[in-house]
Amino acid sequence: MNNWLTRDNLIRWAPLLVLLALICLFALIEPRFFSVRNAARIAIASTPALMVAIGVTFIIIMGSIDLSMEGTVSVCAVIFAFAFIALGGTLASFAWLALPLALLVGAAVGLLNGLIHVRFKIPSFMCSLAIGFVGTGFALLLTGGDRVRVEDELFRSLLTIRFLNFPIMVYVALACLVLAWFIQSHTKLGRNFYAIGGGEELATSSGLNVGRVRALAFMLAGMFYAIGALLAVGRIGIAETATGNNFMFVSITAVVVGGTALWGGIGGVWNTLVGVLIVNVINNGMVVIGLPNFVQDAVLGILVITAVVLSTNRKTVAFVK
Amino acid sequence: MSMERIKPHFPWITLIVLGTLVGIANPSFFNPAGLVSLTADVVPLFIMALGMTFAIYIGGIDLSVQQLANMVTVIATVYLAQFGIAVAVICIAAGFLIGAISGYATTRLYVPSFVSTLAMGFVALSVAKYLSGQRALYMDAELRNASFGWMFDNTAGVPHELIIAAVLLLLAWFLQTRTSFGRSLKAVGAGELAAVASGLNVNRIKILAFAISGGFAGIAGLIFSVKLSGGDANLANGFLLLAIVAVLVGGTPLTGGVGGVLNTAIGTLIVMVIRAAMVYLEVAATQQQMIFGIILIIAIGLTIDRTKLRIVK
């Protein structure tokens, strides 16, 4: 009778329930929150963060962590903008080549990150943090602190052209989400992430080349950061060193709040979608009901600690560093 | 002589070699007055790194120090008029408290320290934004000089900042080597499970380590605030990377257990020399972050104790 109310089920569905409860709460306090216009606003704010969060989801599923997203996003955005302008400045010309270039840059940064982590046996959180600093520094070096404007109408149509009230970038993000789900659930690589997260020693003794999978995971994550960078540039029309700001905390909060455990092995990209929506509903809702915006940082900080606490099975964890 | 025996001596050898190279390229580097003022400039960074050493020594990390210092610059500026010099107590207590909460989350709630400190850093950011009204604040010059003017005086040519740094270093060194708390820190850093098994109250030690890290970040923020005569929720940005670099190039590995506060003093001096070299070589300020990021990766790679990491996550 009580079989469905297990710890597992609770953890699986709690994020979605929290999201629904938050939406109801904000809608009750301020009915304007519950409108298509506002939903579109939340969706637009969520899309770049969703891409970045999906990237880091793969890493967290393995039980590792990637803190390089701020630097990677900035580098991808800046290189994309420079290439885009140099190649003609509009999608109708050869400038479309800047899109795959950005993905390649993201993949390269991610691969570098993964290789340093695996080859030199440096814990991923520190290795990726350092790579993030290098990335931000590199973006600063390229721009010299300037902003690069991308004003091509065709590229900006990501934001400006709407279909069923939502701009195209939302559909692009959804397509990438489905792609990420496919990678996670229906490819060998995706299943290997879970194998490593579930028990690395078991995965190694089953003959899995763990180092290779790790490096590929970081590369894949880098490509999703690049997509996030493209959407972020499409959204505001500017690429700069600060393009990557805040992505680290928001994306990790989203992944953890969505129910993907930091210890790895459980969760996935759908959890991340719920997590990103929770974060953005909180951000948006607090503004809509009139709370000052400095409260958001503290709320998210407490939220992420709470989420980690709730998703930790204390019987299996001996100690943490 | 084996590699393992030379390794502990790497930091100070690096410092001397780097210092000599910079000195040969630019003899004015050895000008005593210039050297003293260069050293005085890194005092806030040194104090922050000193605190961070405790967190890294037990195998953790404290990513909140920069935000804590930001918060303290605002607290110091806002409450200076009301409390005078006693504002220092509030600043240190605020850092200590937030550090202790991070430590509590790490030990009792099993939240890894990089997440708990990152999260508490954002709580501190909120406090800073709230108290400052999201504006840059300035200290009243007279009040500042009345309460903290002594910090920037000299005694026999030695800036008081350096004396503060030396006193804090001595205090930290005493804590680390001459108290049972310090010995327990080493036990936790060298092998946490063994420390638990030998009956140490590991949770309390770890919470205290993070609290000390926060407290030192508070002192660093206070000095920084007085130095720049103001407070802002972004004032200390850029310190986190340098503080971690200072600890790691000093020879305290991410895995903890060896190294310590004296190493961090050497590490901070190395950072100072590298900075001086970059100024001399006319490396643009925009490139420095990238270079320090690369130095960080190299330092981690050279110092980390891989025998402790059965699985590298």
Side-chain angles (χ1 to χ4, degrees):
Chain A
M1 180 64 202
N2 272 337
N3 273 349
W4 55 273
L5 194 69
T6 57
R7 193 188 143 81
D8 283 350
N9 264 337
L10 210 60
I11 287 177
R12 184 168 303 155
W13 295 104
L16 194 59
L17 293 177
V18 169
L19 176 62
L20 294 177
L22 279 171
I23 293 175
C24 294
L25 177 76
F26 286 126
L28 280 177
I29 299 176
E30 175 58 68
R32 272 185 304 155
F33 174 83
F34 202 72
S35 62
V36 176
R37 268 180 86 90
N38 200 42
R41 211 173 287 140
I42 293 176
I44 293 169
S46 304
T47 44
L50 176 64
M51 293 299 99
V52 175
I54 285 176
V56 77
T57 304
F58 295 129
I59 309 291
I60 295 183
I61 287 174
M62 298 191 306
S64 299
I65 193 83
D66 187 349
L67 303 177
S68 71
M69 53 281 275
E70 294 191 352
T72 313
V73 166
S74 296
V75 167
C76 290
V78 167
I79 291 185
F80 162 74
F82 278 134
F84 191 78
I85 290 167
L87 290 170
T90 166
L91 273 190
S93 66
F94 277 111
W96 66 270
L97 284 170
L99 297 172
L101 177 69
L103 291 183
L104 277 180
V105 171
V109 176
L111 187 62
L112 177 71
N113 195 354
L115 285 178
I116 292 179
H117 159 53
V118 172
R119 295 269 171 237
F120 296 102
K121 295 193 172 179
I122 296 175
S124 56
F125 86 91
M126 205 61 214
C127 171
S128 57
L129 188 69
I131 291 280
F133 282 126
V134 174
T136 309
F138 187 57
L140 187 64
L141 181 66
L142 289 175
T143 60
D146 292 336
R147 296 173 153 198
V148 188
R149 290 183 186 279
V150 179
E151 285 164 332
D152 175 35
E153 277 183 20
L154 205 55
F155 181 63
R156 294 302 307 280
S157 66
L158 272 175
L159 177 72
T160 50
I161 296 186
R162 294 193 176 217
F163 179 69
L164 297 176
N165 287 314
F166 289 94
I168 295 179
M169 61 191 286
V170 174
Y171 298 100
V172 172
L174 283 180
C176 292
L177 175 65
V178 172
L179 175 71
W181 166 77
F182 182 82
I183 294 173
Q184 166 198 301
S185 302
H186 294 281
T187 64
K188 208 170 148 189
L189 185 66
R191 302 321 295 167
N192 285 344
F193 296 157
Y194 283 94
I196 293 177
E200 182 154 345
E201 284 172 337
L202 203 60
T204 311
S205 28
S206 324
L208 185 62
N209 185 342
V210 173
R212 190 167 154 269
V213 174
R214 279 185 182 284
L216 286 176
F218 278 92
M219 191 175 89
L220 187 63
M223 294 177 82
F224 274 94
Y225 301 159
I227 302 175
L230 293 176
L231 293 179
V233 174
R235 184 177 155 216
I236 51 173
I238 293 170
E240 55 178 332
T241 315
T243 304
N245 282 6
N246 283 328
F247 273 116
M248 175 164 97
F249 190 57
V250 166
S251 58
I252 293 199
T253 306
V255 172
V256 172
V257 168
T260 301
L262 276 180
W263 322 110
I266 51 171
V269 294
W270 297 109
N271 293 76
T272 299
L273 174 67
V274 174
V276 169
L277 288 176
I278 290 179
V279 169
N280 280 287
V281 161
I282 289 178
N283 279 343
N284 173 287
M286 288 172 73
V287 173
V288 171
I289 65 172
L291 285 172
N293 64 0
F294 55 74
V295 185
Q296 293 165 6
D297 295 315
V299 169
L300 290 186
I302 293 164
L303 195 66
V304 68
I305 291 185
T306 314
V308 175
V309 171
L310 292 180
S311 67
T312 303
N313 185 351
R314 295 174 193 215
K315 286 176 194 137
T316 57
V317 181
F319 69 98
V320 299
K321 286 287 185 185
Chain B
M1 239 194 192
S2 70
M3 191 65 190
E4 283 310 304
R5 290 188 54 191
I6 308 176
K7 216 173 171 184
H9 300 289
F10 260 171
W12 66 264
I13 296 173
T14 311
L15 175 62
I16 290 175
V17 170
L18 274 181
T20 316
L21 283 178
V22 174
I24 290 171
N26 175 21
S28 66
F29 176 74
F30 285 130
N31 170 14
L35 216 50
V36 165
S37 90
L38 267 182
T39 318
D41 274 346
V42 290
V43 165
L45 172 67
F46 170 63
I47 294 171
M48 191 183 272
L50 206 52
M52 171 90 82
T53 312
F54 285 91
I56 294 184
Y57 199 62
I58 57 166
I61 186 81
D62 189 347
L63 299 181
S64 66
V65 287
Q66 176 176 306
Q67 308 285 29
L68 286 180
N70 277 331
M71 178 185 75
V72 165
T73 64
V74 174
I75 292 179
T77 312
V78 170
Y79 291 111
L80 178 65
Q82 207 174 335
F83 295 102
I85 195 166
V87 81
V89 179
I90 303 174
C91 291
I92 299 168
F96 193 85
L97 179 71
I98 291 194
I101 298 174
S102 300
Y104 180 85
T106 301
T107 52
R108 301 286 162 101
L109 304 179
Y110 300 104
V111 180
S113 59
F114 76 89
V115 173
S116 64
T117 54
L118 192 66
M120 289 314 293
F122 275 79
V123 173
L125 178 66
S126 259
V127 174
K129 281 182 178 171
Y130 166 68
L131 286 177
S132 67
Q134 314 204 37
R135 287 174 292 120
L137 306 173
Y138 298 96
M139 282 181 179
D140 184 87
E142 252 174 58
L143 285 173
R144 164 184 176 252
N145 291 338
S147 299
F148 293 109
W150 55 271
M151 268 190 196
F152 302 102
D153 284 344
N154 290 296
T155 302
V158 181
H160 287 176
E161 269 180 290
L162 284 186
I163 298 177
I164 297 173
V167 169
L168 287 173
L169 174 62
L170 211 63
L171 176 75
W173 177 79
F174 182 80
L175 264 180
Q176 180 200 307
T177 53
R178 292 283 180 271
T179 63
S180 61
F181 166 68
R183 307 313 295 172
S184 322
L185 275 182
K186 187 157 182 89
V188 174
E192 185 156 343
L193 292 177
V196 174
S198 37
L200 284 174
N201 188 341
V202 170
N203 283 353
R204 202 175 62 201
I205 295 159
K206 286 173 78 175
I207 292 175
L208 203 52
F210 283 102
I212 290 175
S213 176
F216 273 90
I219 302 176
L222 176 66
I223 294 181
F224 201 55
S225 169
V226 175
K227 209 166 177 160
L228 300 183
S229 195
D232 179 350
N234 303 309
L235 198 65
N237 282 3
F239 268 57
L240 176 64
L241 169 63
L242 292 179
I244 302 178
V245 171
V247 175
L248 288 169
V249 297
T252 307
L254 266 187
T255 36
V258 286
V261 294
L262 290 179
N263 291 67
T264 299
I266 295 172
T268 313
L269 290 176
I270 294 179
V271 169
M272 183 198 84
V273 173
I274 295 175
R275 260 185 173 175
M278 289 206 279
V279 171
Y280 177 69
L281 295 172
E282 294 180 351
V283 176
T286 51
Q287 301 176 18
Q288 296 198 0
Q289 183 175 13
M290 199 172 101
I291 293 173
F292 275 113
I294 294 169
I295 292 173
L296 177 57
I297 297 177
I298 297 171
I300 302 168
L302 288 179
T303 55
I304 204 164
D305 179 2
R306 292 184 178 78
T307 56
K308 267 194 203 166
L309 300 167
R310 205 157 44 98
I311 294 176
V312 185
K313 283 274 183 186

